Amino acid sequence: MDTTDMPGPAQEPGRRVTTLELFFDLVFVFTLTQLTVLLAHDLSFATAGRVALILVVLFWMYGAYAYLTNQVPPDRPSRRLLLMLGMGAFLVCALAIPRVFDDTGVVFGLGFLLVVIVHTTLYTRSHGWDSVWYGVPNALAALSVTAAGGTNGLAADGLWLLAVVLQFVTPFVAEHGPGRRDGRSAATLRVQLGTLDPAHFVERHGLLLIIAFGESVISIGVGIGDLPLTPGLFGGAFLALAVAVALWWTYFVRDEEGAEAAFRATPAPRRWRLAMNAYYYAFLPMLLGIAYLAAGMKKTLGHLGDHPHGGPALALAGGVALFLAGDAAFRATLNLRPVRYRAAGSLVALLTTLPATRLPAYAELLLLVAVLTGMLGVEARRCTTAPAARHLAGV
């Protein structure tokens, strides 16, 4: 392996996210926009489940690219061009999403296969031919999705689930495969995988979340459409924005800074697994929650005075609940405290679905704002009083 082409955090501590990486994220979030289009078209449990499947598959490869550019910065023309090709492949996937279970499934799968090929090619610049242990399972997952495009019903859903399973076993194949091939220990690979730049990695995912929140703001405009701009409509729009702002506050006021500190305190052999647990498994419900929330806003804001059907009401409350559940898991993974207020807030937010169908639509938005601000207020008060109490007790 050519070690002269292996930049890492030891050489570039605290590296910032580049504008090309941010551009890449903008293209990726278009897939999230398309998922809200798919869900808003049919607010049903079946469609919600399929949206979740698509996001699980897509976000796996987004995370792979985030880790890739952390190790192989796009600082050379060849790398930039390959990353742009990956952007184009994600764009193909995004354009195919609204009819992916009808007639564009094969197009989606081929676009996703190109996403994998570009990623594996770039990965060889940091891990050489060990990249095959990532590339082969990811390519098989892409082929499974492509095959799903040629069928329908339960068979298609089964092939999507197979793709998810293949992705989830990839880390285990990657950790143990190279040791069988050339005698290197799995521990050596874990150290290599763990040499990520915490500042860059945390900032990259934070910027992704900010762009995703932008989707909820756009959904406010889409939901209002060309309706007359009345005081009541402005009130509903401000309530919807307040929900998004409260979710922003939930993550960005404390979690991002704490996450970077947690990564820096974690030894390299354990850092990669921590990144997987925090920024993939826990981040997934956060992004999915934003997608569900945005779909609910699209279907609700044009009918603020009406009693919402179960679908829009559950999309709003379920979106907030999913985000809070994901954030609670994120905090627990990184040992950020407290966690219980986020978990309790998730349950209470979901319970607002029960009265929502009997009240005007704006009432559910008001309830969600109350739940989020109440949760944040109680948490802030307890977090400030607890250290003071420990200080007085001489702890």
Side-chain angles (χ1 to χ4, degrees):
M1 187 188 305
D2 181 7
T3 57
T4 62
D5 198 27
M6 290 179 57
Q11 292 77 33
E12 298 179 327
R15 185 169 60 82
R16 302 298 301 271
V17 174
T18 65
T19 54
L20 182 57
E21 290 171 284
L22 184 57
F23 198 178
F24 183 97
D25 293 353
L26 285 168
V27 175
F28 174 77
V29 170
F30 181 47
T31 65
L32 197 66
T33 301
Q34 293 289 75
L35 288 175
T36 66
V37 171
L38 177 62
L39 183 58
H41 180 70
D42 178 26
L43 271 175
S44 64
F45 284 109
T47 303
R50 286 175 168 177
V51 164
L53 273 178
I54 296 170
L55 183 59
V56 168
V57 169
L58 285 173
F59 189 57
W60 174 264
M61 285 311 301
Y62 171 83
Y65 271 87
Y67 182 85
L68 166 72
T69 55
N70 187 278
Q71 301 292 290
V72 186
D75 55 3
R76 305 176 188 179
S78 60
R79 296 178 183 178
R80 292 181 186 129
L81 289 171
L82 279 171
L83 194 59
M84 290 173 186
L85 182 59
M87 290 166 59
F90 266 119
L91 182 63
V92 171
C93 295
L95 292 172
I97 283 175
R99 302 196 313 276
V100 69
F101 289 97
D102 295 325
D103 58 0
T104 60
V106 173
V107 174
F108 179 98
L110 293 175
F112 193 67
L113 182 60
L114 182 57
V115 167
V116 172
I117 292 171
V118 172
H119 174 266
T120 305
T121 301
L122 274 167
Y123 224 117
T124 62
R125 306 310 299 159
S126 64
H127 297 308
W129 289 108
D130 286 343
S131 304
V132 69
W133 298 105
Y134 311 93
V136 170
N138 286 334
L140 290 174
L143 290 173
S144 182
V145 169
T146 306
T151 183
N152 52 52
L154 291 178
D157 293 338
L159 286 167
W160 275 89
L161 285 171
L162 176 60
V164 172
V165 171
L166 286 167
Q167 290 179 334
F168 280 15
V169 302
T170 298
F172 301 99
V173 174
E175 283 185 303
H176 300 290
R180 292 195 298 268
R181 185 173 63 84
D182 60 9
R184 290 192 312 163
S185 68
T188 301
L189 181 63
R190 281 194 291 270
V191 171
Q192 185 182 37
L193 291 170
T195 56
L196 58 81
D197 182 334
H200 175 273
F201 195 76
V202 172
E203 182 188 19
R204 179 77 185 273
H205 286 83
L207 290 172
L208 173 70
L209 204 58
I210 281 288
I211 301 170
F213 278 131
E215 168 59 23
S216 63
V217 176
I218 292 171
S219 296
I220 296 174
V222 173
I224 290 173
D226 57 358
L227 293 174
L229 297 179
T230 62
L233 197 62
F234 277 119
F238 284 131
L239 284 174
L241 181 61
V243 172
V245 168
L247 292 179
W248 168 88
W249 193 293
T250 299
Y251 176 81
F252 284 99
V253 168
R254 294 190 180 189
D255 290 10
E256 190 173 42
E257 183 179 347
E260 183 176 339
F263 270 102
R264 292 193 183 281
T266 301
R270 295 171 47 201
R271 193 174 287 178
W272 182 59
R273 181 61 58 185
L274 185 67
M276 283 283 298
N277 292 337
Y279 281 103
Y280 180 71
Y281 296 117
F283 235 61
L284 259 174
M286 296 169 71
L287 288 173
L288 190 60
I290 293 175
Y292 287 169
L293 176 65
M297 287 179 177
K298 287 179 179 179
K299 302 295 286 187
T300 299
L301 287 175
H303 310 278
L304 287 169
D306 301 335
H307 293 220
H309 297 293
L314 186 57
L316 286 173
V320 172
L322 263 177
F323 185 93
L324 293 178
D327 188 60
F330 179 84
R331 285 190 148 215
T333 299
L334 295 170
N335 200 28
L336 305 178
R337 294 292 184 261
V339 175
R340 61 184 182 275
Y341 301 111
R342 310 293 171 95
S346 174
L347 178 60
V348 175
L350 187 60
L351 290 176
T352 62
T353 308
L354 299 177
T357 54
R358 298 177 176 83
L359 298 170
Y362 66 80
E364 183 179 16
L365 290 171
L366 190 59
L367 285 172
L368 289 173
V369 171
V371 169
L372 289 168
T373 54
M375 177 199 74
L376 292 170
V378 171
E379 182 179 275
R381 183 176 179 83
R382 295 295 174 87
C383 287
T384 54
T385 57
R390 288 196 295 268
H391 175 74
L392 291 173
V395 179

